């Protein structure tokens, strides 16, 4: 009878550690598979009724790139874009 109780104890202790190990593996897998936030995602204020090319309207007065954008935008402020800058709409210019 003592062997049966010992066997139950071993099965229970191995089961707990297996469940703990499985939980640990799942947590690590979720952390590794979690998408990396877009570090270069840009949010600019919406100056006109439309957003610049490559940006989407977020419906809160801003435009978001939703991707990796590295170019800088600068407001046109009602003027033409300076030399070596192009008009991308929405009241903004970007460097060529």
């Amino acid at each position: 009878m003592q062997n049966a109780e010992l066997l139950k104890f071993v099965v229970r202790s191995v089961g707990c550690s297996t469940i703990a190990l499985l939980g640990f593996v799942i947590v690590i897998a979720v952390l590794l598979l979690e998408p990396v936030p877009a570090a270069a995602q840009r949010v600019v204020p919406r100056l006109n009724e439309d957003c610049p090319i490559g940006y989407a309207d977020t419906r809160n007065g801003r435009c978001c790139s939703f991707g990796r954008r590295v170019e800088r935008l600068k407001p046109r402020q009602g003027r033409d874009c300076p030399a070596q800058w192009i008009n991308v709409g929405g009241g903004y210019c970007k460097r060529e």
Side-chain angles (χ1 to χ4, degrees), residues 25-88:
V25 169
I26 289 173
V27 167
I28 295 299
V30 167
L31 290 175
L32 290 175
L33 295 176
E34 185 177 347
V36 177
Q41 183 175 352
R42 303 205 34 97
V43 177
V44 295
R46 190 177 66 205
L47 299 177
N48 294 340
E49 63 277 351
D50 57 345
C51 288
I53 295 172
Y55 287 75
D57 187 4
T58 58
R59 305 278 182 201
N60 61 356
R62 297 180 187 158
C63 301
C64 182
S65 67
F66 294 115
R68 299 196 176 265
R69 312 287 296 189
V70 293
E71 69 265 357
R72 298 258 183 220
L73 297 180
K74 77 178 201 179
R76 285 186 341 177
Q77 299 172 341
R79 300 185 299 253
D80 289 335
C81 295
Q84 298 180 351
W85 290 73
I86 58 172
N87 184 0
V88 290

